[in-house]
Amino acid sequence: MIASDSPKTGWIGLGQMGSPMAEHLVPSGLIVYDTRAEAMAPLVEKGAKAAASPAEVAGAADLVSVMVRDDGQVNEVAEELIASARPGTVLAIHSTIHAETAVKLAARAEPYGIHVVDAPVSGGFIGATAGSLAVMVGGTDEAFERCKESFGAWADLILHMGPVGAGTHTKLARNLLHFAAFTAAAEAQRLAEAAGVSLRKLGRVVRHSDAVTGGPGAIMIRSTTAPLDPHDPLYKIMRHVQALGEKDLILALELAEQLGLDTPLARMSLDRFATGLGL
């Protein structure tokens, strides 16, 4: 069983995301470690305790959050934590890593009675500073319950996605949308620029309207990507979305052709639009 209902929290990795996330935990007691002493200093001034190593953090904390750069650093830190943590300790990996890394670490930690959860976050530096991140957790029910209080200090959406690995799977799907949208945004900017439109004003319109509508997330309301049954209440809604979307994509493609601009993402979007809506 996990040791207590109010865990003492440790934090490893105080970079651009880790530092503002950890700062929200200082009032409740926090032990921190980073390879850079200067990264720990601001939190120590606010009341956190600095550790000399990950092992010291593991020895003092019931829950250890890890926010380091990549799989290599995650594995390196985790090995030291597993060797030093008490049975019942939860290791929460917040870094975005390979899909199987957390699964392997959980198997490595299990014989020692140590729980591993993969808990990547979404919301960036702004969300980390405001305490309004989304966190996607993969792990056992027991470990998830153990983490929620701590995570709530810096996140306002905390979802248990399934077993270990599910948090990372969710984050990779979310980021596929995020960064593919950047490529689409670049294509839209090229169209606007060719038409003589201010890119800065276009950006203001996009940010404003996405904040109102929810952007691409507005259509992510189905429980499956399978084709919709015509009797499904969503069917007529998606047909309406299809009509509007295809009309506007055709208009954008016509403008691009007039301007001599190649817009391959727009063509692909038109070809696959209905299928993506379940139609």
Side-chain angles (χ1 to χ4, degrees):
M1 294 295 293
I2 296 178
S4 68
D5 291 332
S6 298
K8 180 174 178 61
T9 302
W11 198 283
I12 296 174
L14 299 171
Q16 185 181 38
M17 289 292 290
S19 182
M21 290 167 69
E23 186 172 345
H24 293 288
L25 291 162
V26 171
S28 59
L30 183 67
I31 180 168
V32 298
Y33 174 75
D34 193 280
T35 56
R36 300 162 299 134
E38 65 271 19
M40 294 187 284
L43 294 182
V44 170
E45 289 175 6
K46 291 179 171 67
K49 177 183 177 182
S53 67
E56 185 178 342
V57 176
D62 305 305
L63 168 63
V64 181
S65 280
V66 178
M67 181 56 107
V68 293
R69 187 180 63 228
D70 54 24
D71 288 75
Q73 290 188 353
V74 165
N75 283 315
E76 181 180 351
V77 167
E79 283 300 312
E80 189 169 348
L81 293 175
I82 291 168
S84 306
R86 301 182 301 272
T89 301
V90 179
L91 307 184
I93 311 300
H94 301 303
S95 310
T96 301
I97 51 180
H98 283 90
E100 297 306 313
T101 297
V103 177
K104 293 177 181 177
L105 287 175
R108 170 86 172 81
E110 185 177 13
Y112 301 92
I114 297 167
H115 302 257
V116 172
V117 300
D118 56 318
V121 301
S122 184
F125 174 77
I126 294 173
T129 302
S132 59
L133 293 170
V135 55
M136 302 145 273
V137 186
T140 65
D141 291 342
E142 180 185 7
F144 175 70
E145 290 300 321
R146 195 74 183 90
C147 292
K148 284 199 301 185
E149 181 181 354
S150 177
F151 291 177
W154 43 260
D156 59 11
L157 180 63
I158 307 167
L159 295 177
H160 189 193
M161 305 308 301
V164 176
T168 298
H169 297 161
T170 307
K171 177 64 182 293
L172 295 178
R174 193 272 171 272
N175 277 11
L176 184 154
L177 173 62
H178 187 64
F179 293 115
F182 281 14
T183 306
E187 184 166 290
Q189 287 181 101
R190 289 195 297 273
L191 177 64
E193 188 173 49
V197 171
S198 164
L199 298 188
R200 292 187 181 276
K201 290 182 179 178
L202 171 64
R204 289 180 62 188
V205 170
V206 170
R207 289 188 293 274
H208 177 87
S209 56
D210 278 3
V212 174
T213 67
I219 68 156
M220 300 177 76
I221 54 177
R222 297 194 292 140
S223 60
T224 175
T225 60
L228 282 165
D229 186 306
H231 300 292
D232 190 304
L234 287 174
Y235 188 83
K236 288 185 178 180
I237 295 172
M238 291 303 183
R239 278 294 187 194
H240 179 66
V241 174
Q242 178 192 8
L244 288 177
E246 289 182 346
K247 173 184 69 71
D248 288 357
L249 284 166
I250 289 169
L251 291 173
L253 284 163
E254 288 176 351
L255 176 60
E257 184 177 4
Q258 293 168 12
L259 296 170
L261 187 70
D262 185 29
T263 51
L265 286 178
R267 290 197 307 274
M268 183 183 297
S269 297
L270 180 59
D271 290 342
R272 302 182 181 183
F273 194 66
T275 302
L277 296 174
L279 303 172

